[in-house]
Each structure stands twice: as C-alpha cells, then as structure tokens.
Amino acid sequence: MKVSTEQLRSYILKDIAVISGENVVECYQCGKCTAACPVSKAMDILPHQVVRFLQLGMLDEVMESNTIWICASCFTCAGRCPRDVDVANIMEALRVILLRKRGVSRLKTEDVRLVFSEGMPEQGVVSAFRKFAR
Amino acid sequence: MRRIGVFVCWCGTNIAGTVDIEAVVEAAKKMPGVVYTGEYKYMCSEIGQSMIRDTIKKEQLDRLVIASCSPRMHEATFRRTAAAAGLNPYLVEIANIREHCSWVHKEKEKATTKAIALIRAAVAKAAYNRELVAGEIPVEQRALVIGAGIAGIQAALDIADAGFEVDLVERTPSIGGRMAQLDKTFPTLDCSACILTPKMVDVASHPHINLYTYSEVEKVEGYVGNFDVTIRKKARSIDMSRCTGCGVCLEKCPIKVDSEFNEGLIKRKAIYIPFPQAVPNVPVIDRTSCRWFKKGKCAVCKKVCPADAVDYEQADELLEKKYGGIVLTTGFDTLKLDEFGEFGYGKHPDIITSLEFERLINASGPTGGKLVRLSNQEIPQNIVFIHCVGSRDKARGKPYCSKICCMYTAKHAILLKEKYPHSQTYIFYIDVRTGGKEFEEFHRRAVEEYGAVYFRGIVGKVFPEGDKLLVQGVDSLSSRTIEIEADMVVLAAAMQARDDAAEVARMLGIGVDTHHFFVEAHPKLRPVETHSAGIYLAGACQGPKDIPETVAQAGAAAAKAIVLLSKKTLIADPCVSEVNEEICTGCLACIQVCPYKAITEKTLDQKVHGRVVQRLLAQVNEALCQGCGSCTAACRPGAINLKSFSNDQILAEVDAVCL
Amino acid sequence: MSVAPKQQSFEPLIVAFCCNWCSYAAGDLIGTSRMSYPANVRIIRVPCSSRVSPNFVLRAFQRGADGVLVAGCHPGDCHYVSGNYHARRRLLVLKRILEFTGMEPERFEVHWISASEGNKFAEVMRDITENITALGPNRKLRDIR
C-alpha cells in the first residue's frame, strides 16, 4: 500500500472530521473501542482498524467494509475511549458520506420491517433508520 | 583456654516456638570453651544487651556467640554491644537460628538439633576469632572527573562549588561532549547550546576547577582516598598562554579533513577549533593530517600567527597527580550501521543518522540550520524516521532499549514541521516509550499538532528510485505493507558504550556489563557508585539516558564524591586478606584472581645460610581489599588468609556442623 | 559382612556454603517468608563463593557430610565483580575430581541463587536432600572412625 502526502490530506478525511467532529490522529490504537463493542464479532474490520485506516488515509478499506453498517450506534466505544475519540460519530460520518452519494443505497425499503423485529431495542430501531438511503 | 559466652535469643516465640531453648542451652554448656550460657526473650532489646554487657565483665568473657536472627540483621548491633563492654567487636559470632532454622523447620526436634549444630559451629569459629582493629586511611582532598560532557561538567561544578579542587580531563580539544552537538532538547525545545555554553564557561572560569582538554588518563593506581593518576596532556602544538583565538591560522591552513564534531558532514582544517563555542577557544593541530608533521613542509599557520603561539616542538606532557575520588563520565557512541544493509546507510547521501540530522538542522551546523538533502541541496518534503535501528535487536544490534530515540525523533518531527510547514514526517516505531515528565504530552503533540504519521512496524528495505528513496515498511496495526517515496531517511541508531570502555574499566578496576556499560554497585540503592570505593559514575557511560537524568546522576555522583572528600580520614573494614610471609612462595596466583587489584608483589631481603637472597612475595593493600577471599582459595601454600573468614575458622565450622 | 544402615531412617547431612550477598540472603528471605525446606542442610556463611576452597569441601566429606553444596550469586552478578567466575571454574574441576574418585556427582553441587530467589533456595535444598537420601550415606573420602 502506497502512502503519500496527497492521500493523507484528502478532502474526504477533512469531511469526516467536519461531520463527526472527531480528530482521528488523537487515537493511539489501544483497541479499547473494539474490546468494548458488542457487535464487533460480525464486523469484517474492527472499529479500531477503521480509525487506523483513516489515520493512514486508506479510505477504500473503510468504505468497502461492512463494519460501518453493522455498527449499532450504541456509543459504548465513545464511552470507553481513553483519548476521547467518539468512534460511533466517525462511523456515522462515514455512513453519511456514503448515503449522500447517489446510487449507492445499502438498504432496501422492503427491509424496513426487519427493523421492527421483536426484541429490537428502541435505540437499535433509531440507528437502523440512519442507515437507509434517502 | 577460651572463655566463650553463648547467649540464646527466644525472639519472642519466633525462635522459642520451634526450638527447645532449654535443650539448646544445656547442649551449649558442654561445648568446648564455653564458660557461660544465657537466654532471654529479646536479646537485641536494651535489657538483653545490658545483660550481655554485664556478663562480659562479670564472667570475663573473651568471645561471644549470639544465637539469634541472621547476622545480616543484628551482627552490627551485637558488635556494638561487645565494644561497649570493652570487648573487641570482631570477637562476636552470630548463630542464625531464626531465618535459617526456626522459621523454616516445623518439627521441633529437628529444628532443635539443627540449632545446636549451628551454635556449635559458631562456637568453634569464635574460638579462632581474633581482635581486629579498623585502620584509618588518609583522604587526598581533590577529585578527578574523567570526560567533560554535560555529566562531567555538572559533576565538576558541583564538587568545585562545595570547595574542593577538581581536575576535569577531556580527551577531545574542547569540553561540551554530545550535548554540544545537539540542536534543541526535548521536551522543552530549549536550545542545547544556550543552556550548555554558560556551564562550559563556568567550568573554564571556576577557581577550583583545573581543565585538561586534549588529555587522557593513562594510568590509575591506588585506592579510595589515594588514587595515583597519570594524565597525558597531548601536544596541542599551540602555546595556550599565547594564543588569542583570532582564528587566522584556521583560514590559512591548506589541509582539509572530515570534521568529527559535525559527524563528517563537512571538512575542518588540520589546525582547528572543533566548534565556535569551544572551551578553551584555542586551536589544536591534528598531527596525523598536518602537512608539516607528515612532510616537513608548509608551516603556514606558524607564519600567519600574530601571537607566535604555534609550537611544532611541543611534546606530550605526563602529569602525575593524587586524588581522593574519581567521577567517571565518559559518555556514549552510536552504533555503527554496517550490519544493517537494508537501511542503506552509507550507500546514499540522503540516508543519515539522527546525530547527523541534529547537525544539519542546527543553526551552527554545516548548513547553517537549513535542512537539505545532501544529494541535491534541496529541502526535503517527505522524511521517514526509523526507530530502533540496532536497539532491541539481539541478532545484529543491542538487546536493550536506547531510551532516548522515541523522544528525539518526536522532537525532530516537531522541529521539522516548524521550520518547513509543508513537509511531512513518517515515523516507523516498534513501541513508543515516553516515560518521563512531559514526555507523553510532547509525543502526542508531535502526532496531533505537528501531523507526524506513526507506523507501528519497522522498515524492511530502503532503496533509491529515481531521485527519491523508496521505503518499504509495514503498519502492523492495520496489517498493511507501507510504501513511501521519501526524500530523506533518518535512522535512530542505538546508543552504545565507548569502544574503549572495557579498557577504561580495567584501568580503574571497575566492572562492565555485557554491553560494556560501566556497572553500578547496586542497580537501585547505589546507582552512582561502583564496586570500587571512591569511583563514581554518571551519564550514558553507565547506560543509555537522557540529559535530565544525566544531570541528576552527575549531581548525585558529585554528592557522593563530596561526602568522601569532606572526611580527612576513612575507617577501613578490617576483614581483609593478609599474607603469611613465612610460607608465601611468591607464585602470585592471588594477583590473577583479585578483582580489586589489591594484591601486589614485593621483594624481601632475607638471610639464608649467611647469604642475602631476595624473595618474591605477595602483599595485600588493606585499603583496596574488599574481603571477598578469592585469593585465599587460589593460594597454593595457604599463605593468604581472610581475617574473620580464615581457613581455620571455616574448617572449624565444617568440623562442628559435621559432628 | 557389611552393616548397611537402614534406608528408612537415613537422614543425610548436607553442608551448604552460601555467599553472604546472594545465597545466604536468599536463605534469610525464605525464612522471612516462612517457607520450609529439610532440616538436613547446615549453612556456613562465606563472603563469596570464591572463598570456598576445595579444601573445605573435602573436609566436609571427610568429617561425614553426605552432600556438599556451594551457592553463590548468578554469574555476572557477583558482589565482588568476578568472584563467582573463579569459583565456577575451580569447583567444576573439583566436581570432576570427585567423580573421578568414584563419588556420585549428585553429592557435590554448585548453584547460583540470587538474594531474591527464596523459592529457588528452598527448591535446591529440597532437591539435594531428596537426591542424597536416595543415594544413601556417603562412604568415599571419609575418616575412619
């Protein structure tokens, strides 16, 4: 993987920073977010790796992953982070950036009923709706 | 016949709980030479001690055996008790029936038998104890500091400020050491020269400090309080009293060689001052490169010198001086990188070491502080730093952590970004270690405010591609290989001991570890002392360390030296080796095994059948001897003996425990 | 006709020479931490393992010791810089000589025990006592009594 100055200074990284309000370079990769995450088992890359790829400007790795869609926005990661980096906000920002792109919707309207399946906590319902295309 | 008194301590129930005190006392009564036995609950208490004192007088005891806790605990206490009653303290023996008996054995019968055996051994040994008198050694009230980097400068200033005379010896032409080469210091970014040079000037002008630059310590003999040292003042070829430091000679000299101070990045002349702020600010002629000394021609410097200070005839001068204590502050070197071909050091001008980077970014450095690629004199944009080059590498480098590289690399990243805001630094690390006041904050600042990108991983290969350097590494956090097109690669080479550290240690009679760093007497409790009394350590010659630690250690070493010098005389431990001259054969096997160089040879004129013959003998310097007894086991005729652990004493103990 | 001592009641006598700075201190430590080891071991304090002359070891066997142990600081950690290196060489030669005379090698051992290794001290004492109990009384080099 080539690392270059251009890649590190990409405008998308700046967008992520603006939308999420988080600075990824604050992270020192202790991995506590991943250790605390209740749904990390289903993710293909782990929450701390998402931050790591963003630090290195490796956007494709992040955007192709299922992680940002698996994220339940429970904010456990944010609560546990010793560096005060809100990983859930970063996930949200990544989703927003993808959803704003036309034609890349991830969820279909037919799937909406799945969201209302039994036992789904209210917060889960809210966060699931965040993941729908407009 | 001896009059030995045995006192058995109960130590509350600590001893009495598992050892049958009554049986022990009964058994002790029958031991040879024992005329009195006593017991008490706490022998070390004031009542117990006064009981001992009274009994010594009443029973006219000439030896004491105290059966109690470990001698490492209360031997000194009971020796003082004996002394208070007028008995020589070295006539006391301790039988350790607590730590080595009652506390470790549960069965009363076995513990009692063992306690009796231990007391029997102590009684047998005590019978051979002799009165020993601690001698006094005079102390020469002058200190020697070897090496004038920041450690040596600080130690010399502290000792001199306490009012003692200090001789500061430095091998190179100027004092200042490594710190003088640095640009800024972490984590405060103080300019190194700004905080160091005032101290250098203080040293030069201090009334109690004699400065010997361009000089080396050649021989160290003697012992604590009385070191005899030979210092070689190398011929500077300049009359220091005449030279005004005008510098005309430096301009006119036609010979150019690599500047050691600038890590070979530029040339200096054959007659040179290592750097502009040098103390003393007097040039020196490097005779190995000077044309006059090689070919007998030239003499330009002599012709141009307005003060007539150049003196080609000057010879090395040997000074013999006496010192009470020595502070060793010889500093460090950086690892040679020949073994690390993958980083390409030496194969491309833009692959440099951190110390070279330090010179390049230094305002008084070869480029006037402009950081340029040495290949094309352009300002680099992408700079890759690599940590742990040879550190934490047991295969080809050093297994230890060099301790300062994490911090100075973060410093380099900050300095670089401040000077060249468009540049980008990439740093490959294994772990970032920032133990120190304000260190972690400093490192985080480099990352968060100055945009240094850290990769957890190390570089596998650096090779030129076009006019760039291609760096192949890994980021093990994301498990991705990393490729960077860099303009400059900076290697944080490991710190290592000076090449001649082992020789210096041998000369001084101190130890080195496997990496040739000098060994302290105790890693925690005696960190600035060595095993040789009167020799102290400070700075990176003892192990990698940064400037604040070095200065703190130098102050500590100076304090230790001041404690020594403030005494007119020293009390010597009398438990040292002695030679029985009548049976010494002069084989001198003892000299080989003595770690303190305490044994020397001497000759004795002796009349044999009316003729005077010279006999070779060993003699022990009681001030140097630390009482290990290695010589006694090496001695073939058994002529050398250790006082208070003599052959007779130990054999008596062996016999007694085997009964 | 020989009179073999009863194996069950055999309690070996072991003489241990311990250096003041490491092994003796480890012995103190094991006491302070109230662990135990067999009472068969009798400890003699010496300043350094290099003080132990082969003479002392031979004398111990002569006077009836069934096993002898010398314990010092770990190589490189000697309080007297290099004493234990000399001890190591010297005592290795002695061990070979003792083997040559037909003595079982387990009867004479050299161990390095630092001041912090109380557990190791106890372990070594237990092992040597166990080994020598299994071997039975020593008959080599003994005084005729």
Side-chain angles (χ1 to χ4, degrees):
Chain A
M1 180 71 69
K2 271 218 168 182
V3 176
S4 64
T5 320
E6 295 74 52
Q7 174 185 331
L8 287 170
R9 298 174 187 174
S10 136
Y11 70 94
I12 301 181
L13 287 177
K14 286 192 187 115
D15 281 356
I16 294 169
V18 169
I19 298 170
S20 67
E22 302 299 323
N23 186 2
V24 290
V25 299
E26 297 253 352
C27 168
Y28 56 30
Q29 290 287 297
C30 69
K32 203 168 184 181
C33 44
T34 301
C37 180
V39 290
S40 59
K41 284 196 180 69
M43 293 173 172
D44 53 2
I45 63 174
L46 298 167
H48 76 277
Q49 289 176 309
V50 169
V51 181
R52 185 61 186 157
F53 286 128
L54 293 179
Q55 284 179 338
L56 303 183
M58 298 175 177
L59 283 162
D60 294 346
E61 312 268 350
V62 176
M63 296 304 190
E64 299 296 317
S65 76
N66 74 0
T67 301
I68 51 179
W69 306 107
I70 297 285
C71 168
S73 300
C74 69
F75 291 89
T76 310
C77 46
R80 303 275 160 86
C81 178
R83 300 292 301 165
D84 209 12
V85 177
D86 191 330
V87 184
N89 272 351
I90 295 170
M91 300 279 189
E92 176 73 1
L94 291 166
R95 286 192 293 263
V96 167
I97 286 169
L98 279 179
L99 292 172
R100 280 179 186 172
K101 277 192 193 170
R102 284 172 188 281
V104 285
S105 92
R106 292 277 169 158
L107 285 180
K108 300 183 185 75
T109 15
E110 301 92 86
D111 297 336
V112 170
R113 58 188 171 81
L114 287 176
V115 171
F116 294 104
S117 58
E118 212 150 297
M120 177 73 90
E122 278 174 36
Q123 197 188 16
V125 176
V126 174
S127 68
F129 273 114
R130 286 188 171 136
K131 299 171 189 170
F132 285 93
R134 55 178 183 169
Chain B
M1 195 59 200
R2 307 284 187 221
R3 295 188 64 79
I4 303 175
V6 178
F7 294 84
V8 184
C9 179
W10 292 43
C11 196
T13 56
N14 280 315
I15 293 171
T18 16
V19 171
D20 183 347
I21 302 282
E22 212 172 298
V24 168
V25 170
E26 279 310 306
K29 274 185 186 153
K30 298 187 194 99
M31 291 176 190
V34 175
V35 295
Y36 177 87
T37 48
E39 34 92 14
Y40 184 64
K41 279 202 173 113
Y42 294 102
M43 223 68 227
C44 59
S45 69
E46 181 43 42
I47 303 173
Q49 290 194 45
S50 74
M51 173 183 160
I52 296 174
R53 284 195 297 268
D54 295 345
T55 317
I56 291 172
K57 287 178 191 148
K58 208 168 116 202
E59 300 285 336
Q60 292 174 332
L61 301 178
D62 63 1
R63 302 283 191 284
L64 287 188
V65 170
I66 318 281
S68 61
C69 51
S70 170
R72 294 165 55 85
M73 184 93 183
H74 273 317
E75 189 173 54
T77 314
F78 292 118
R79 278 182 174 171
R80 276 196 300 273
T81 314
L87 191 67
N88 184 289
Y90 296 93
L91 297 174
V92 177
E93 251 335 293
I94 308 284
N96 183 352
I97 61 166
R98 192 179 75 174
E99 280 86 343
H100 284 188
C101 187
S102 71
W103 273 354
V104 285
H105 307 312
K106 305 283 179 273
E107 296 163 69
K108 197 155 188 168
E109 196 188 327
K110 282 185 178 174
T112 308
T113 316
K114 181 170 172 181
I116 293 170
L118 292 176
I119 294 172
R120 197 163 53 224
V123 169
K125 186 183 179 192
Y128 285 96
N129 278 17
R130 280 163 40 195
E131 290 193 2
L132 301 177
V133 180
E136 283 194 345
I137 330 165
V139 177
E140 182 74 29
Q141 287 175 320
R142 186 185 300 120
L144 171 67
V145 178
I146 306 174
I150 182 59
I153 289 173
Q154 186 63 45
L157 283 173
D158 286 348
I159 299 170
D161 282 344
F164 297 104
E165 207 179 316
V166 183
D167 288 1
L168 180 56
V169 175
E170 167 60 41
R171 172 154 65 180
T172 66
S174 169
I175 64 172
R178 291 285 178 207
M179 192 174 165
Q181 289 182 290
L182 308 182
D183 180 37
K184 300 264 167 51
T185 55
F186 61 79
T188 49
L189 297 182
D190 286 312
C191 145
S192 185
C194 314
I195 54 180
L196 176 67
T197 41
K199 277 190 186 289
M200 290 163 63
V201 174
D202 286 352
V203 164
S205 60
H206 202 293
H208 291 319
I209 299 179
N210 304 311
L211 194 53
Y212 297 108
T213 49
Y214 209 49
S215 302
E216 280 183 65
V217 173
E218 205 157 78
K219 200 161 81 180
V220 177
E221 281 177 341
Y223 47 89
V224 56
N226 298 275
F227 291 105
D228 295 301
V229 179
T230 309
I231 300 167
R232 177 180 291 273
K233 274 185 81 177
K234 289 179 278 185
R236 211 176 176 104
S237 317
I238 306 289
D239 184 340
M240 287 180 77
S241 60
R242 288 190 174 186
C243 175
T244 59
C246 69
V248 179
C249 51
L250 316 181
E251 282 167 29
K252 302 293 178 190
C253 175
I255 303 295
K256 287 181 175 178
V257 285
D258 283 349
S259 159
E260 296 89 353
F261 184 79
N262 283 305
E263 295 293 313
L265 294 173
I266 48 163
K267 302 284 181 189
R268 62 161 169 82
K269 300 294 180 68
I271 183 167
Y272 70 107
I273 296 177
F275 56 103
Q277 301 82 12
V279 171
N281 205 350
V282 173
V284 52
I285 296 178
D286 170 8
R287 292 190 174 182
T288 55
S289 50
C290 170
R291 196 187 283 170
W292 173 265
F293 285 99
K294 279 165 83 179
K295 297 190 179 140
K297 279 186 232 161
C298 185
V300 170
C301 48
K302 196 174 176 66
K303 277 172 218 151
V304 300
C305 180
D308 194 20
V310 177
D311 178 5
Y312 296 135
E313 307 302 317
Q314 214 177 58
D316 288 5
E317 204 182 323
L318 288 179
L319 297 172
E320 282 178 20
K321 301 196 77 171
K322 222 175 165 68
Y323 300 97
I326 298 175
V327 181
L328 198 54
T329 56
T330 51
F332 70 97
D333 270 324
T334 50
L335 185 71
K336 318 275 176 294
L337 299 179
D338 313 341
E339 288 275 314
F340 296 88
E342 69 270 34
F343 297 128
Y345 180 72
K347 286 182 218 147
H348 194 284
D350 294 335
I351 303 170
I352 61 175
T353 66
S354 299
L355 207 50
E356 289 165 2
F357 182 88
E358 203 72 58
R359 291 310 301 153
L360 283 178
I361 204 160
N362 193 316
S364 66
T367 54
K370 188 176 164 197
L371 182 73
V372 291
R373 302 179 64 184
L374 295 170
S375 58
N376 58 8
Q377 304 301 312
E378 280 171 16
I379 293 170
Q381 288 306 307
N382 294 321
I383 298 140
V384 171
F385 290 88
I386 305 174
H387 279 188
C388 294
V389 176
S391 301
R392 308 174 71 194
D393 179 340
K394 66 177 181 181
R396 284 177 296 164
K398 306 287 176 185
Y400 51 82
C401 165
S402 292
K403 199 166 183 181
I404 58 169
C405 323
C406 291
M407 288 304 293
Y408 70 59
T409 303
K411 174 190 79 178
H412 289 165
I414 290 177
L415 293 178
L416 202 59
K417 195 76 176 175
E418 275 189 346
K419 231 170 200 169
Y420 306 106
H422 295 293
S423 66
Q424 176 64 48
T425 48
Y426 300 93
I427 301 172
F428 286 88
Y429 71 99
I430 305 177
D431 292 293
V432 176
R433 296 178 167 181
T434 56
K437 199 171 171 178
E438 298 282 318
F439 283 14
E440 173 69 9
E441 295 90 325
F442 184 80
H443 158 65
R444 290 312 305 174
R445 215 156 62 232
V447 179
E448 291 160 28
E449 290 172 31
Y450 294 89
V453 174
Y454 276 74
F455 300 102
R456 196 209 172 276
I458 275 308
V459 168
K461 198 169 172 55
V462 178
F463 54 94
E465 201 178 64
D467 67 338
K468 301 270 184 186
L469 291 162
L470 201 63
V471 178
Q472 283 185 351
V474 67
D475 177 59
S476 65
L477 288 174
S478 58
S479 304
R480 294 295 186 277
T481 54
I482 304 290
E483 266 182 33
I484 294 169
E485 281 187 352
D487 300 309
M488 184 181 258
V489 173
V490 184
L491 307 173
M495 276 171 112
Q496 66 174 357
R498 295 271 186 200
D499 286 342
D500 55 357
E503 272 167 60
V504 171
R506 219 170 297 130
M507 177 173 75
L508 287 152
I510 63 171
V512 289
D513 64 15
T514 40
H515 314 298
H516 293 186
F517 288 115
F518 300 133
V519 178
E520 63 280 13
H522 189 282
K524 288 166 193 70
L525 303 178
R526 296 171 69 198
V528 297
E529 294 158 89
T530 63
H531 284 298
S532 291
I535 300 179
Y536 310 103
L537 301 174
C541 62
Q542 181 257 350
K545 55 178 64 69
D546 59 21
I547 294 168
E549 271 186 308
T550 298
V551 172
Q553 209 183 15
K560 292 283 176 194
I562 292 165
V563 169
L564 170 66
L565 298 181
S566 60
K567 291 176 188 147
K568 291 265 182 305
T569 54
L570 291 174
I571 306 287
D573 183 359
C575 301
V576 292
S577 289
E578 61 178 344
V579 179
N580 180 344
E581 294 192 348
E582 284 174 8
I583 54 175
C584 175
T585 58
C587 72
L588 304 179
C590 46
I591 293 182
Q592 305 296 320
V593 298
C594 180
Y596 303 101
K597 298 200 280 190
I599 306 175
T600 46
E601 57 177 73
K602 74 166 182 182
T603 48
L604 191 73
D605 290 334
Q606 208 169 31
K607 264 193 177 162
V608 179
H609 302 303
R611 269 190 320 129
V612 177
V613 291
Q614 285 206 321
R615 260 181 71 203
L616 194 61
L617 292 175
Q619 70 174 353
V620 176
N621 183 327
E622 299 203 343
L624 280 181
C625 177
Q626 305 280 318
C628 67
S630 193
C631 51
T632 56
C635 183
R636 287 159 209 172
I640 240 180
N641 228 329
L642 183 63
K643 292 177 194 170
S644 93
F645 285 100
S646 69
N647 291 333
D648 287 343
Q649 286 173 310
I650 296 176
L651 287 174
E653 277 188 277
V654 172
D655 290 355
V657 293
C658 290
L659 264 181
Chain C
M1 217 169 76
S2 70
V3 185
K6 282 177 197 152
Q7 286 297 314
Q8 285 85 354
S9 65
F10 171 62
E11 285 287 348
L13 174 66
I14 294 150
V15 177
F17 295 94
C18 291
C19 87
N20 183 44
W21 306 99
C22 288
S23 317
Y24 196 88
D28 282 358
L29 175 67
I30 198 75
T32 320
S33 38
R34 307 293 203 284
M35 314 264 284
S36 74
Y37 58 86
N40 308 59
V41 186
R42 305 285 144 84
I43 292 162
I44 292 176
R45 183 165 73 125
V46 286
C48 176
S49 50
S50 67
R51 174 68 189 95
V52 180
S53 161
N55 223 344
F56 304 159
V57 178
L58 295 175
R59 176 79 144 235
F61 283 123
Q62 187 191 355
R63 290 295 151 94
D66 300 299
V68 176
L69 170 76
V70 178
C73 308
H74 283 273
D77 291 346
C78 181
H79 179 80
Y80 299 104
V81 187
S82 57
N84 54 9
Y85 290 128
H86 294 300
R88 184 164 64 178
R89 286 196 198 179
R90 208 176 269 153
L91 297 172
L92 190 68
V93 172
L94 176 64
K95 194 172 166 75
R96 292 276 159 78
I97 292 172
L98 290 175
E99 277 173 42
F100 181 74
T101 66
M103 187 179 278
E104 298 89 340
E106 292 88 348
R107 290 199 191 272
F108 174 63
E109 286 195 12
V110 181
H111 283 276
W112 313 117
I113 307 170
S114 84
S116 58
E117 293 177 323
N119 285 329
K120 184 176 177 188
F121 183 92
E123 211 171 283
V124 166
M125 298 304 167
R126 275 195 289 270
D127 285 353
I128 192 164
T129 311
E130 213 168 277
N131 290 342
I132 290 169
T133 310
L135 285 176
N138 176 41
R139 289 194 185 76
K140 292 272 175 200
L141 304 171
R142 257 196 184 185
D143 267 349
I144 300 161
R145 295 195 199 179

